[in-house]
Structures are given as structure tokens and as C-alpha cells.
Amino acid sequence: MAEACPYCSVAPEDAWIGSELAIGLPHPRPFAPLHLVIAPTRHVAAFYDLDVQEQGAIWVLIGAIKDRLDVLDVDIGFEDGRSEEDHALVHVLPRIPAQPVKLPPGIDWVTV
């Protein structure tokens, strides 16, 4: 566990959504309503530092978040090693009709 990392200190049962390998939490400074961030439970700086099982757990949480929020599309942002905590993060921003969001630069965005 990285010292003082807010993502490493959260147990899966205390997260908004979680598993043994990844947790999903409301973003502390949201870009838009319902902005969540997924973090692997293992402290790594980049998404591709994770093994295939850990990456898969993140994609499972993305699908579960879409289902729980009952949205069709979400913007997914990969933030590798650029967070204050140097922890790989995946942003999940639901696409809400008539509420466009300007996605911040410095994060690799895709829509799913």
C-alpha cells in the first residue's frame, strides 16, 4: 500500500462499487454529475502495469457502473501516473442527454 494514497486505503466493501481487484468511488473533484473513478486495489502508476485479470476487473466495474446508473454511454478516461497519488485511475463519466461535458486534457478518453 502506498503511504497516504486515498485509493489504497479503501476496502472493496467500503467503496461505492468494488471487487477484490478494483474499487469505484465518486471522484473527489467531479468534472460532472455522477463522475466516478475506478482504481485498482494494487498501487500501480499505469493501467498497463496491471495484469490481465486486474484490467478485466476494471472493465467489469465499468459495465456494472453503467448498469447501476442506467446509462447507455459513458466516457472512459485513462489517467496513468498523472494523479496526485501516482496511482492508475480510470474515470467514468456518464453521458447524459442535454448535459455535455468538456473532457479535460491530459487524460486518454474513449466512449463506450
Side-chain angles (χ1 to χ4, degrees):
M1 177 186 316
E3 191 173 318
C5 176
Y7 304 106
C8 290
S9 63
V10 177
E13 60 272 11
D14 295 330
W16 189 79
I17 192 168
S19 70
E20 180 182 323
L21 300 175
I23 56 164
L25 304 164
H27 193 284
R29 294 170 304 284
F31 304 151
L34 305 175
H35 178 190
L36 297 167
V37 65
I38 298 173
T41 55
R42 181 167 65 98
H43 192 93
V44 297
F47 181 79
Y48 289 108
D49 291 340
L50 298 168
D51 65 33
V52 172
Q53 185 179 12
E54 291 167 315
Q55 291 177 17
I58 288 173
W59 286 107
V60 167
L61 285 187
I62 290 169
I65 288 168
K66 285 177 68 172
D67 291 346
R68 188 180 280 188
L69 296 178
D70 195 26
V71 295
L72 296 176
D73 298 315
V74 292
D75 288 308
I76 305 298
F78 294 88
E79 187 173 6
D80 286 344
R82 294 182 288 238
S83 70
E84 293 174 16
E85 299 80 16
D86 198 32
H87 194 116
L89 301 175
V90 178
H91 297 267
V92 181
L93 285 167
R95 290 185 148 219
I96 300 170
Q99 291 184 7
V101 175
K102 182 174 169 80
L103 300 175
I107 298 172
D108 297 322
W109 294 98
V110 295
T111 300
V112 294

